[in-house]
Amino acid sequence: MKPIAIVAILLGGLTLSVANAESPIRPGDRIAIVGNTFADQLRIHGYLETALLQHAKGISIRNLGWGGDMLTARDRPTNFPTEESTLRDHKTDVIIACFGMGESFGGIEALDQFRQDLKSFIASHAGKQYNGESEVRLILVSPIACEDLGKLTPDRDARNDVLRAYTQAANEVAAAAEIPFVNLFETSLYLMDEPVGPNLTTNGIHLNRFGYWAISHEFAGQLLASDQPDHFRPWRITIDARAKTGQGRGVEVSELTVDVFQAADPEITFRGAETTAPRLPPPTDQPLPPPLAFHRDTIVVQHLPAGTYQLTIDGEHVATAAADAWGQGIAIDHSPAHREAERYRADVNDKNLQFTYSWKALNQVHIVGERKHSPSGRALPGEVIEFNRLANQRDEALQSGIPLKSRQWRIARVER
């Protein structure tokens, strides 16, 4: 068995907590994310939301995460809108709850209290119809693991023993309540222990940009479906130069012309019609560990004569590599389609920023606090309403998704 296949099996085994069940996220869901710093930072990076928007059509997400939040410690400014009112304003169908990291610092001796607090959290939403029609659905999410950063994380193994115990406790509570559970602890630990690739965190427990890109693949996979249908899998294009055949997943291959054995200017050309959105490119130039390389959009060109070949799409350079590398597979996540995907993620982040300005503005004292009756305070509620309108407007624009196009692909030999 090839190593990439082993990787797929290993990662697939990490989604057992939601396997054999209906996808936790459904098309058209209005979603609220609540929880700690991990949840809060999801809105800044946008990788998870972009993936969900592409593969669960019609969804709308509001991120209510707050740095440092725990189940029983969720401090807010004076007169801050209640979470229930915000959930109702969004007509929330499903809540994704990310807790456990902060609570885990209480150690094993606080595990029973954590279980009880989780049960109380679930009970607090039982029977609530924030959308005005049906009972809200809950999804519990585990904390991530602690990464080995040397002197920065001297007690890493002990921390992970505790985090594993909290993850197991959350899983048991979710199972008893018959609600989905997303296990990010095992996923993140597996990736953190890979010897290749950048660090995932800044301090062992807070993900960096690369970490959010990496974790969001598995997070989205567990939220959408256990069987990983083709529409959620990365692009995979295979061209056989000798047989002059080509096929693609995510990109349909047509008008294939192969002229690489006798021609003075060897080349392969074809029309590539995108049928699914591309994967977001990794925010690093470093080599990726195998589990993450598996998630990249790839083209394989078999039986190329020796030489160096360059891929262009609609005339724009995408990749250059030797024939043997093309036979192994080349990542193609710097294509025109991938740039459009990054622009779409930027639009997701902008929508989140507009919502944040309307919900968690920096100058709360002028909106809900002691200065709300000042001249500037009296003007701010109107601005908040406008920011909320902008967030809703951006939300609507995001529903069209990343544009799928038909483009001209060309692989030609170049002198090196």
Side-chain angles (χ1 to χ4, degrees):
M1 183 178 291
K2 294 181 179 179
I4 197 166
I6 296 172
V7 167
I9 292 170
L10 286 171
L11 288 179
L14 298 180
T15 65
L16 294 177
S17 52
V18 293
N20 302 316
E22 184 180 11
S23 177
I25 297 298
R26 307 165 190 168
D29 272 344
R30 299 184 68 81
I31 302 164
I33 299 174
V34 302
N36 50 30
T37 303
F38 168 80
D40 181 36
Q41 296 293 300
L42 285 169
R43 67 178 171 81
I44 293 174
H45 297 282
Y47 290 110
L48 175 68
E49 186 168 347
T50 300
L52 294 178
L53 282 165
Q54 290 309 297
H55 302 290
K57 298 300 182 183
I59 68 170
S60 173
I61 297 177
R62 292 293 180 266
N63 191 313
L64 311 183
W66 199 291
D69 262 10
M70 295 189 290
L71 288 163
T72 58
R74 305 173 73 184
D75 294 333
R76 299 292 185 269
T78 303
N79 298 323
F80 193 81
T82 65
E83 186 168 275
E84 181 164 336
S85 69
T86 307
L87 294 172
R88 292 191 185 280
D89 288 345
H90 186 51
K91 301 186 187 311
T92 304
D93 298 301
V94 58
I95 298 172
I96 299 174
C98 308
F99 293 103
M101 178 59 77
E103 290 85 350
S104 72
F105 286 96
I108 297 297
E109 56 271 27
L111 201 52
D112 287 342
Q113 185 62 54
F114 175 64
R115 289 191 184 93
Q116 186 56 51
D117 291 341
L118 267 182
K119 292 175 184 177
S120 297
F121 172 81
I122 294 170
S124 72
H125 293 287
K128 298 293 180 64
Q129 296 182 346
Y130 301 120
N131 61 10
E133 298 177 356
S134 58
E135 184 173 350
V136 69
R137 310 190 319 268
L138 297 181
I139 301 169
L140 294 187
V141 182
S142 81
I144 65 166
C146 180
E147 187 172 29
D148 184 359
L149 296 183
K151 293 181 179 179
L152 283 177
T153 52
D155 300 320
R156 189 249 186 170
D157 290 342
R159 284 290 304 136
N160 279 334
D161 288 342
V162 173
L163 286 165
R164 182 178 283 107
Y166 274 74
T167 296
Q168 182 59 36
N171 194 0
E172 291 168 357
V173 170
E178 297 184 335
I179 62 176
F181 177 72
V182 176
N183 187 339
L184 294 183
F185 173 80
E186 296 296 345
T187 296
S188 56
L189 183 64
Y190 182 76
L191 295 176
M192 288 169 179
D193 285 345
E194 283 288 331
V196 177
N199 292 330
L200 272 67
T201 67
T202 58
N203 61 357
I205 59 172
H206 291 151
L207 293 173
N208 56 28
R209 183 182 172 191
F210 176 77
Y212 275 101
W213 175 85
I215 294 300
S216 291
H217 288 298
E218 296 306 317
F219 198 171
Q222 294 193 50
L223 288 173
L224 289 171
S226 61
D227 56 358
Q228 298 292 289
D230 277 352
H231 74 269
F232 188 63
R233 299 169 69 191
W235 288 359
R236 179 80 174 182
I237 302 168
T238 303
I239 306 294
D240 189 321
R242 184 180 298 159
K244 298 185 178 181
T245 59
Q247 60 184 352
R249 180 185 67 215
V251 177
E252 289 184 354
V253 176
S254 64
E255 302 175 25
L256 175 65
T257 300
V258 179
D259 195 1
V260 295
F261 292 101
Q262 303 296 330
D265 297 311
E267 67 173 15
I268 297 172
T269 63
F270 62 91
R271 199 74 188 164
E274 298 150 12
T275 59
T276 64
R279 288 296 179 96
L280 290 167
T284 181
D285 292 327
Q286 294 186 42
L288 299 183
L292 297 179
F294 174 73
H295 285 292
R296 299 179 82 174
D297 294 331
T298 304
I299 183 171
V300 177
V301 185
Q302 301 167 335
H303 305 127
L304 272 175
T308 299
Y309 295 81
Q310 180 183 87
L311 168 65
T312 58
I313 301 178
D314 284 350
E316 297 185 34
H317 175 260
V318 176
T320 300
D324 57 348
W326 285 105
Q328 294 295 315
I330 295 294
I332 50 173
D333 42 26
H334 294 290
S335 78
H338 292 83
R339 285 196 293 276
E340 290 183 2
E342 274 293 282
R343 285 193 289 270
Y344 184 85
R345 184 176 70 91
D347 290 341
V348 169
N349 293 342
D350 180 62
K351 180 271 297 181
N352 287 332
L353 184 62
Q354 303 309 319
F355 170 70
T356 301
Y357 286 155
S358 74
W359 172 69
K360 189 173 68 170
L362 296 178
N363 46 3
Q364 289 289 330
V365 68
H366 290 89
I367 300 174
V368 297
E370 60 191 22
R371 297 182 187 175
K372 67 179 180 179
H373 298 301
S374 68
S376 58
R378 287 194 296 270
L380 279 170
E383 295 182 16
V384 168
I385 292 171
E386 178 63 13
F387 280 127
N388 192 57
R389 187 191 69 80
L390 289 172
N392 291 332
Q393 183 185 69
R394 303 289 198 275
D395 227 359
E396 297 247 343
L398 289 169
Q399 298 307 311
S400 58
I402 298 170
L404 304 180
K405 299 180 180 179
S406 178
R407 308 178 199 263
Q408 189 65 26
W409 295 53
R410 180 174 183 262
I411 301 164
R413 193 162 69 190
V414 294
E415 298 297 329
R416 294 300 295 265

